[in-house]
Amino acid sequence: MSETSDVEPGTLYVVATPIGHLGDFSPRAQRVLGQVSLIGAEDTRTSQTLLSAHGIRTPLQAVHEHNEAAQAERLLARLRSGESLALIADAGTPLISDPGFTVVRAARAAGVPVRTVPGPCAAIAALSIAGLPSDRFEFVGFLPAREAARRERLRELAGLTHTWIVYESSHRIEACLADLLAVLGPARRVCLARELTKQFEQSELAPLQELLPWLRADPHRQRGEFVLVVEGAAPVEADEALPAEAQRLLELLLTELPASRAARLAAAYTGLPRQRFYRQALGSAADGE
Ligand code: SAM
């Protein structure tokens, strides 16, 4: 890199762009995008508007989910010949629920240096203001569009004890919150973050039984782009040990049955939650190994 240049030859730069507020377009991101010889962009028209507004005249090439594999080859050929290129998404960080993975993977496989120019990402922005534990979290991205598949996915996620993050669009936000309430129950807290960094930014942390009425109370609240930050399930406490009778029953059933059936029968007989028996049964199996 020369003193006047921010880019190295033959290098791929993965560059974040604003998710709303143009003030979040970092000076380094602008310089790198102005100095590379080509920018791969998800939607060239959207990106052209952003780049032109900042005086960046670098040519753009479309790299989206339908042409990414073919484009990866072309971009790679140019990188190998010593050109430096950049990858951007419509907004935020490429590869985060956006195209770019195929190109980055191909560059790495070919030994091409890949550098980051980090910046806005809606998931991280929402997590940083949600007020929910952030020491461990899971990025879920978009949930399935159809209700049955969405609920199924939510059932898979329901037991996670760490925070998880969902992207949602305006036309599904109400249905999505209704499904979250149905699957996770009324007390689970969710932070709904909408229009982050934009004029009508809002974020509301509340139990689902309050959040859904909050969303429905004002049609404006259903507009724009959304991130949902979901509180993890309460971990099972060690003092949740089964009563002695129930424990004996479970042990007896486990001599004849697999853990899931033993747990179901013990729960039906005692009226205690099946999950408690099931976890205990798995624990016993592990102890006995
Ligand atoms: N790559 C982007 C990133 O780094 O956040 C995400 C792209 S994904 C195709 C678009 C989704 O991100 C939107 O549907 C919404 O869920 C979320 N999103 C993007 N910008 C947002 C904003 N300003 N406020 C809230 N959510 C946003």
Side-chain angles (χ1 to χ4, degrees):
M1 197 169 10
S2 78
E3 266 182 41
T4 52
S5 172
D6 289 272
V7 301
E8 301 259 14
T11 301
L12 174 66
Y13 290 85
V14 179
V15 182
T17 56
I19 55 170
H21 199 299
L22 291 183
D24 297 334
F25 199 7
S26 80
R28 180 168 168 245
Q30 294 182 44
R31 286 198 305 273
V32 166
L33 292 174
Q35 290 170 19
V36 292
S37 35
L38 181 79
I39 301 170
E42 189 186 358
D43 179 332
T44 52
R45 276 199 304 182
T46 304
S47 294
Q48 194 64 69
T49 310
L50 173 76
L51 298 178
S52 300
H54 291 81
I56 298 166
R57 289 180 199 84
T58 309
L60 289 165
Q61 200 158 94
V63 178
H64 45 68
E65 59 174 324
H66 303 297
N67 74 356
E68 198 176 339
Q71 287 294 47
E73 287 304 314
R74 286 191 206 113
L75 298 180
L76 208 56
R78 295 183 70 158
L79 285 161
R80 280 202 181 106
S81 75
E83 290 185 55
S84 46
L85 310 183
L87 207 55
I88 57 175
D90 287 354
T93 302
L95 280 84
I96 308 302
S97 289
D98 263 331
F101 170 61
T102 308
V103 175
V104 171
R105 181 178 54 183
R108 286 217 169 258
V112 166
V114 184
R115 302 276 308 265
T116 177
V117 184
C121 173
I124 299 300
L127 178 67
S128 71
I129 59 167
L132 291 171
S134 55
D135 53 334
R136 191 173 162 213
F137 63 90
E138 183 163 325
F139 177 65
V140 172
F142 289 99
L143 293 167
R146 291 186 49 241
E147 183 184 307
R150 189 166 57 234
R151 287 197 178 203
E152 182 56 36
R153 181 89 181 93
L154 289 176
R155 278 192 282 273
E156 289 165 15
L157 296 163
L160 293 178
T161 51
H162 52 260
T163 302
W164 38 286
I165 305 172
V166 169
Y167 280 166
E168 196 48 274
S169 65
S170 53
H171 54 280
R172 271 198 291 271
I173 187 66
E174 188 184 354
C176 181
L177 271 195
D179 287 349
L180 280 163
L181 177 63
V183 175
L184 304 180
R188 187 78 74 95
R189 289 185 306 158
V190 171
C191 179
L192 179 150
R194 74 176 268 271
E195 297 290 86
L196 292 170
T197 77
K198 301 184 197 176
Q199 189 182 0
F200 298 110
E201 170 171 339
Q202 252 182 330
S203 53
E204 184 75 9
L205 172 66
L208 282 162
Q209 63 186 353
E210 293 169 24
L211 196 59
L212 187 55
W214 178 87
L215 184 79
R216 287 174 173 156
D218 179 351
H220 289 106
R221 293 177 182 162
Q222 296 184 33
R223 299 208 185 121
E225 300 189 281
F226 296 84
V227 182
L228 299 173
V229 185
V230 184
E231 180 179 42
V236 180
E237 299 294 335
D239 62 8
E240 256 195 81
L242 292 167
E245 285 283 290
Q247 177 69 29
R248 265 198 298 281
L249 173 65
L250 178 66
E251 280 164 16
L252 191 65
L253 290 168
L254 280 173
T255 60
E256 299 288 332
L257 298 170
S260 58
R261 290 195 60 203
R264 199 171 331 118
L265 282 176
Y269 186 78
T270 60
L272 294 170
R274 187 186 62 84
Q275 278 301 335
R276 279 179 69 181
F277 285 105
Y278 187 58
R279 273 191 287 267
Q280 182 69 28
L282 295 184
S284 316
D287 294 344
E289 275 168 9

